[in-house]
Amino acid sequence: MTGCFDNKRFCFKLTPSSTSLYLVSVQRKVSFPVALTLYSDELLQIPSQEKSLKPLFHANAFLNTDNPIPLGVIEEPETFWETMRVKWTVGRIDAKHDDTYTYLSPLQPASKYSIVQGFNGTFTHSGASRFALDFAAPVGTPVLAAREGVVIDTKDDGDKGGPSPELAKYANYVVVLHSDGTTGEYYHLKHKGAVVTRGQTVQRGQLIGYTGNTGFSSLPHLHFAVYAAKFHGKYVSVPFSLADTSL
């Protein structure tokens, strides 16, 4: 019995381990790192001996290899599938940002595009996204990779946008995994505005998409930030510096 998420990025599997228990494991199906958390009131600690089973309620897994990871055991598969929840964030939980790296401005020439919200911006740049930059730009402005890496996630089927958090799910984006485990994330791209795909290696300055106004966005712009993945579907932005010159 299996259940997969995010276009089969990873799958859960139930394997009978005794007459009354099923082992719950998870395995990635796409070779990119993911930090995930499984939530279930049915989830129990994997027994080491014949002792009473202890409830877990949630279990974390960092999927950095293709090997299955055991999470716990359950007694009732149907109830488990009906009630389980999962949250995940692409990227590495052991990321350590290279503070010596200087990023290219993703819109060129840099002097042409003003930053309308910077670090610790009072509108949306707080908490986990406190170290982010918003560049004002007309829809369709070319977006370049600020740092080389591998594309691990994209979305460009969103066709709505506006100044409401309810529209956040429509945001289009490209996520690039860097060599230090952090991710560069480029948000609010236009509908069908990503020109790269998962698994593609991109170089600094390479075209990856076009700006738009999708998702939670009050004006056409590009949101760019560097993140480290966390469990429970969370992330944290890290400070970074931009090059003083254009291409």
Side-chain angles (χ1 to χ4, degrees):
M1 291 176 280
T2 62
C4 300
F5 290 78
D6 194 12
N7 295 319
K8 294 187 177 181
R9 183 184 290 272
F10 56 85
C11 298
F12 293 94
K13 183 177 182 180
L14 302 187
T15 305
S17 61
S18 71
T19 56
S20 60
L21 296 176
Y22 294 81
L23 176 68
V24 181
S25 60
V26 64
Q27 184 177 21
R28 72 178 190 180
K29 299 299 182 178
V30 179
S31 297
F32 308 126
V34 181
L36 69 80
T37 302
L38 168 67
Y39 304 89
S40 174
D41 291 341
E42 304 297 313
L43 194 63
L44 304 169
Q45 190 176 56
I46 297 174
S48 57
Q49 298 177 353
E50 292 300 324
K51 296 182 179 180
S52 59
L53 299 174
K54 297 181 180 180
L56 284 179
F57 302 113
H58 81 268
N60 296 323
F62 175 41
L63 306 184
N64 191 37
T65 72
D66 295 335
N67 299 322
I69 297 176
L71 299 176
V73 296
I74 61 163
E75 295 177 313
E76 299 291 340
E78 288 189 11
T79 303
F80 170 77
W81 288 124
E82 290 173 356
T83 60
M84 61 91 77
R85 296 179 298 115
V86 60
K87 294 182 180 180
W88 67 93
T89 304
V90 296
R92 300 183 61 95
I93 59 169
D94 57 353
K96 293 184 179 179
H97 185 249
D98 179 5
D99 293 335
T100 66
Y101 191 92
T102 302
Y103 290 75
L104 178 74
S105 177
L107 303 184
Q108 293 289 325
S111 59
K112 182 178 178 180
Y113 301 97
S114 60
I115 295 175
V116 292
Q117 187 178 193
F119 291 178
N120 297 301
T122 57
F123 183 51
T124 56
H125 292 178
S126 60
S129 289
R130 63 180 296 194
F131 298 113
L133 299 177
D134 285 348
F135 300 84
V139 173
T141 301
V143 178
L144 310 182
R147 180 176 176 178
E148 64 281 354
V150 178
V151 178
I152 62 171
D153 208 5
T154 67
K155 178 182 180 299
D156 71 353
D157 60 352
D159 58 1
K160 297 179 182 179
S164 171
E166 296 178 354
L167 297 174
K169 62 184 178 181
Y170 296 104
N172 297 321
Y173 54 80
V174 169
V175 179
V176 177
L177 179 68
H178 304 144
S179 59
D180 59 12
T182 61
T183 53
E185 308 198 7
Y186 308 76
Y187 266 74
H188 308 298
L189 304 184
K190 73 174 187 176
H191 182 245
K192 299 302 179 182
V195 300
V196 290
T197 58
R198 284 185 187 178
Q200 182 176 342
T201 298
V202 295
Q203 301 302 319
R204 188 174 189 263
Q206 181 176 334
L207 177 68
I208 60 173
Y210 295 93
T211 61
N213 192 30
T214 57
F216 181 20
S217 176
S218 59
L219 78 166
H221 75 287
L222 174 72
H223 172 100
F224 174 70
V226 180
Y227 293 100
K230 300 295 180 184
F231 291 124
H232 299 283
K234 297 183 178 180
Y235 52 84
V236 60
S237 59
V238 297
F240 61 93
S241 58
L242 292 178
D244 294 332
T245 58
S246 299
L247 281 175

